[in-house]
Amino acid sequence: APHIPARYGMLGTTFGGNPLACAAALGVLEVMEQENLIEMAKQRGMYIMNKLKDFPELENVRGRGLMIGFDVPDYLKELRKKLIFDYNIFTGEAKPNTIRLLPSLALTRKQADEFLETLREAIDAVKAA
């Protein structure tokens, strides 16, 4: 925010905010609004969760928007490692067998479909091992 001049004593805390950080945050919020990213995340998330529910191996598919989680049975406990090391798809995890997804809000339908195809391939690879 160029109209807010920085001055001595204005930046007193680590997480207290500063003009540059506030301008960056406002810029992010403007893009989120202009590109309708929240509504798109909701739609993409519902699409992905509905598709994940069609995978018979996956259990307890849940989420909100693009924050998605699902459980895998013990025989698929290596799935996350397979996705990361063999397919370069980073996921989170929660013990014992939960895989967490948190993709970009700008995820496209094509990228979602590519993920779902790769997930199917990775599940089949783990089952075959």
Side-chain angles (χ1 to χ4, degrees):
H3 63 281
I4 303 173
R7 63 181 192 282
Y8 180 78
M10 192 172 178
L11 307 176
T13 67
T14 302
F15 300 106
N18 62 63
L20 178 59
C22 292
L26 286 172
V28 168
L29 293 173
E30 287 173 11
V31 169
M32 289 174 68
E33 186 176 15
Q34 290 166 0
E35 296 184 15
N36 200 23
L37 291 181
I38 301 303
E39 181 59 30
M40 293 308 297
K42 180 180 175 184
Q43 291 177 18
R44 293 280 183 268
M46 287 181 359
Y47 173 77
I48 292 170
M49 283 188 281
N50 286 334
K51 294 289 187 179
L52 289 172
K53 289 175 183 176
D54 290 338
F55 286 63
E57 301 90 348
L58 305 182
E59 303 165 350
N60 195 21
V61 175
R62 65 229 183 243
R64 182 173 184 156
L66 286 169
M67 295 187 298
I68 299 170
F70 56 88
D71 300 329
V72 295
D74 282 338
Y75 71 89
L76 287 179
K77 66 183 177 190
E78 298 299 315
L79 178 61
R80 180 172 184 264
K81 288 180 186 174
K82 174 72 79 178
L83 287 169
I84 292 171
F85 295 113
D86 294 350
Y87 296 95
N88 300 312
I89 294 176
F90 181 76
T91 67
E93 81 176 324
K95 303 291 185 196
N97 292 342
T98 297
I99 292 181
R100 295 181 297 123
L101 307 176
L102 191 58
S104 163
L105 291 178
L107 183 79
T108 65
R109 170 82 179 260
K110 180 180 182 214
Q111 291 167 329
D113 286 334
E114 288 172 357
F115 164 73
L116 292 162
E117 290 168 18
T118 302
L119 179 62
R120 174 79 270 154
E121 189 177 323
I123 288 172
D124 292 343
V126 171
K127 285 167 64 174

